Amino acid sequence: MAESTKTTKSTTSAKSASSKGSKTTRRQNAEKGFTASTELAANLQIVLVDLLELALQGKQAHWNVVGRNFRDMHRQLDEIIADARAFSDTVAERMRALHAVPDGRSDTIASTTTLPEFPAGEVSTADTVDLITARLETTVATMRRVHDAVDEEDPTSADILHAVIERLEQFAWMVSAENRTPAKR
């Protein structure tokens, strides 16, 4: 009987505390955390789409590249694809953490990407270098374009963009070096 009275008191006390808003559970905090504005969600969606498209176009290039240094280009494309996929997952999961809904459907990607269409058929390694470099730079430009607005609302999401930009710019430098000639001294 004393146990029953104790349970009733603690239940009544908990109801009283929650009705006064004095204490919430961990689960409630997770569900009521920071929520992305429409603008933040839209900016992260733009980044997500370009990262997904970069991975898709990278795969298209990977399957169809031919010519000198094929093996190196083929393997380097694998690295770019893997990172673009991982980055897209990070961005999409960040969106979900902010209660935004990512849209990675193929029709959404095709209709909203800022990346130009990748050519069909076989593509020489030299042309692939230029095409992939341009797509890396376009993806970075998208992130730089939305960065300040993202940073203003959510510095944590901006930190994700920083890491992605750093890696994609490194890839652009490494890929483009394949077609460069040394600068004259």
Side-chain angles (χ1 to χ4, degrees):
M1 191 146 171
E3 193 65 39
S4 173
T5 306
K6 209 183 242 186
T7 303
T8 305
K9 276 187 175 179
S10 68
T11 303
T12 305
S13 176
K15 283 181 184 175
S16 169
S18 67
S19 66
K20 293 178 187 174
S22 63
K23 196 168 191 178
T24 57
T25 66
R26 183 178 231 182
R27 182 178 178 94
Q28 287 170 322
N29 284 336
E31 292 302 315
K32 294 182 180 179
F34 176 73
T35 300
S37 69
T38 304
E39 180 185 12
L40 177 59
N43 284 333
L44 292 175
Q45 176 65 30
I46 291 165
V47 170
L48 174 64
V49 164
D50 277 3
L51 287 167
L52 290 167
E53 182 66 10
L54 179 63
L56 289 168
Q57 288 196 23
K59 207 51 157 163
Q60 179 68 20
H62 172 84
W63 293 324
N64 293 298
V65 65
V66 295
R68 293 179 51 116
N69 298 321
F70 159 81
R71 188 166 196 273
D72 290 338
M73 180 87 285
H74 189 76
R75 294 180 107 185
Q76 192 164 40
L77 287 166
D78 272 338
E79 288 179 53
I80 294 167
I81 295 160
D83 280 5
R85 285 179 176 165
F87 292 143
S88 67
D89 193 52
T90 299
V91 170
E93 288 180 357
R94 179 66 185 158
M95 290 175 74
R96 291 304 298 144
L98 302 178
H99 309 285
V101 180
D103 187 352
R105 296 173 300 154
S106 58
D107 60 333
T108 300
I109 296 167
S111 65
T112 61
T113 185
T114 66
L115 277 63
E117 186 177 340
F118 198 84
E122 291 183 339
V123 181
S124 73
T125 51
D127 288 344
T128 298
V129 163
D130 293 339
L131 290 165
I132 292 299
T133 299
R135 278 135 186 88
L136 287 162
E137 290 171 345
T138 299
T139 305
V140 167
T142 295
M143 285 183 269
R144 287 187 177 280
R145 182 170 42 85
V146 302
H147 174 273
D148 289 349
V150 169
D151 190 39
E152 177 136 345
E153 185 171 344
D154 182 30
T156 303
S157 293
D159 287 348
I160 292 169
L161 296 184
H162 297 157
V164 177
I165 288 168
E166 178 185 13
R167 184 68 170 150
L168 295 186
E169 286 180 337
Q170 182 184 36
F171 276 134
W173 159 64
M174 293 175 79
V175 171
S176 68
E178 183 74 30
N179 284 351
R180 288 190 58 230
T181 55
K184 297 185 185 206
R185 294 182 191 205

